[in-house]
Amino acid sequence: MKNRLLFFLCLVVCIGCKNSTKRNDGKLNIVTTTTMITDLVKNIGRDSVSLQGLMGSGVDPHLYKASEGDVSKLTGADVVFYSGLHLEGKLVDVFEKMGRYSNTIALAEVLDKGSLIGSEYFASNFDPHIWFNIEYWKQITNYLTEELGKMDPDNASFYEDNKEQYLKKLDALEEEVRQTIATLPEEKRVLVTAHDAFNYFGKEYGFEVVGLQGLSTATEAGVQDVQNLAQLIIDKQVKAIFVESSVPKRTIEALQQAVKSQGYDVQIGGTLYSDALGSSGTEEGTYIGMFRYNVNTIVEALK
């Protein structure tokens, strides 16, 4: 507790001492949390911003804890963009402290709460995996662009132009996704994954989505959860189940064995990107590439 208090005191003092709005080279110094947000800032800010992402490929934001190096990045930032809705569970206290003295922006706050998926099992009462709804991601793109323009009016038109280009790419992605999913019969649209990260995806594209763990990977699946889901897979003749890149695969492997023990063979259809993008420099290391990869993997495995 003492160490935690010292952490916050140091954080607040550092932030209070900070009074610059740009780096010496004239670029906004931006820190982001998840890989999805980092990729979005890259598309909108490009070379006109200095960007540091805290989380890398395969990192689970639900469990992520700030290191000493992260504290230095956060306190030196002109703005911190994070997802919100308690996705970054272990960082919530940090952002709440920072919010009183610095520019921290929870991007999900722009979304209409009435349209979000609620949950009695998650602290925020809303499913935080909003990036799996492309329309939500467009709203967040608009919001982030607006905020960048306010902080850096000299480059506001540059950000706007980049936004318009990116929104066109998201429109094309949406059309492609719907065409791909249309090739999968509706009765086969049952998506079983490690945790409940795909509910927005399921709601938008007509999938029944079942996660072995809850909305947060901090929760653990019990024996009864595994048995119940195994029975559902058998009853619905689900062909494949999926591992997630940011969740240990042992939970899905245990589910697969539980199904096999009852005489039904279910395959592991591949690894989906849920709470983080793929490796930097790859197609899956971008939001658009990740979404396309997930959809193709799901559809091919369930056919």
Side-chain angles (χ1 to χ4, degrees):
M1 181 63 72
K2 289 182 179 180
N3 289 336
R4 187 179 182 187
L5 180 59
L6 285 173
F7 171 84
F8 286 137
L9 286 175
C10 290
L11 183 61
V12 170
V13 168
C14 289
I15 295 170
C17 293
K18 182 178 178 296
N19 54 24
S20 64
T21 57
K22 283 190 179 182
R23 295 176 1 143
N24 292 334
D25 59 8
K27 295 182 178 181
L28 283 174
N29 188 13
I30 300 173
V31 171
T32 54
T33 54
T34 69
T35 52
M36 290 75 71
I37 296 174
T38 302
D39 179 65
L40 179 57
V41 174
K42 285 180 181 178
N43 278 279
I44 306 304
R46 300 190 185 181
D47 293 336
S48 289
V49 301
S50 175
L51 174 62
Q52 299 179 88
L54 297 185
M55 304 178 193
S57 174
V59 173
D60 183 351
H62 298 288
L63 304 177
Y64 188 84
K65 295 180 180 179
S67 66
E68 291 183 9
D70 292 339
V71 173
S72 177
K73 292 176 183 177
L74 290 167
T75 57
D78 297 311
V79 59
V80 177
F81 288 114
Y82 67 106
S83 189
L85 298 179
H86 289 259
L87 174 71
E88 302 96 339
K90 302 293 184 179
L91 292 175
V92 170
D93 289 342
V94 176
F95 294 140
E96 287 180 352
K97 291 287 183 180
M98 288 184 67
R100 302 177 188 178
Y101 303 93
S102 186
N103 204 3
T104 58
I105 299 176
L107 294 173
E109 291 302 315
V110 72
L111 302 176
D112 176 11
K113 295 296 193 302
S115 71
L116 299 181
I117 297 173
S119 174
E120 59 182 311
Y121 302 109
F122 197 65
S124 69
N125 293 322
F126 296 106
D127 184 337
H129 304 92
I130 43 83
W131 54 92
F132 283 122
N133 181 311
I134 297 174
E135 289 302 316
Y136 287 166
W137 204 242
K138 291 177 185 177
Q139 292 180 47
I140 284 173
T141 298
N142 283 320
Y143 181 39
L144 183 140
T145 304
E146 180 182 343
E147 291 300 316
L148 286 179
K150 290 177 182 177
M151 290 179 282
D152 184 14
D154 291 342
N155 283 310
S157 61
F158 175 73
Y159 300 141
E160 281 290 328
D161 289 343
N162 293 340
K163 179 197 75 173
E164 292 304 320
Q165 293 177 42
Y166 191 61
L167 288 176
K168 289 179 181 178
K169 292 179 180 180
L170 293 179
D171 287 339
L173 174 66
E174 175 71 20
E175 183 177 354
E176 177 187 343
V177 165
R178 292 194 181 279
Q179 289 177 355
T180 301
I181 291 175
T183 66
L184 183 66
E186 291 184 7
E187 67 270 16
K188 292 188 176 183
R189 296 180 192 178
V190 182
L191 180 59
V192 179
T193 62
H195 86 297
D196 282 340
F198 292 88
N199 287 319
Y200 290 110
F201 175 86
K203 181 179 179 181
E204 187 67 22
Y205 301 110
F207 280 79
E208 178 181 354
V209 177
V210 188
L212 187 54
Q213 293 171 257
L215 293 175
S216 170
T217 53
T219 63
E220 292 289 339
V223 174
Q224 192 60 51
D225 296 318
V226 173
Q227 293 301 323
N228 290 342
L229 187 47
Q231 190 59 55
L232 180 145
I233 290 168
I234 295 169
D235 291 344
K236 292 184 176 289
Q237 298 289 287
V238 177
K239 184 178 177 181
I241 57 180
F242 299 89
V243 176
E244 294 178 36
S245 62
S246 56
V247 182
K249 65 180 182 179
R250 63 178 180 272
T251 56
I252 287 296
E253 291 175 335
L255 176 60
Q256 182 186 37
Q257 290 304 313
V259 172
K260 286 186 176 182
S261 70
Q262 298 185 50
Y264 182 76
D265 187 21
V266 64
Q267 300 299 313
I268 292 181
T271 300
L272 304 180
Y273 296 99
S274 54
D275 290 337
L277 302 179
S279 299
S280 178
T282 68
E283 184 68 18
E284 294 79 26
T286 68
Y287 172 82
I288 290 174
M290 171 276 294
F291 213 108
R292 178 183 294 116
Y293 170 87
N294 277 355
V295 170
N296 289 336
T297 300
I298 291 167
V299 170
E300 287 303 313
L302 293 179
K303 277 185 177 178

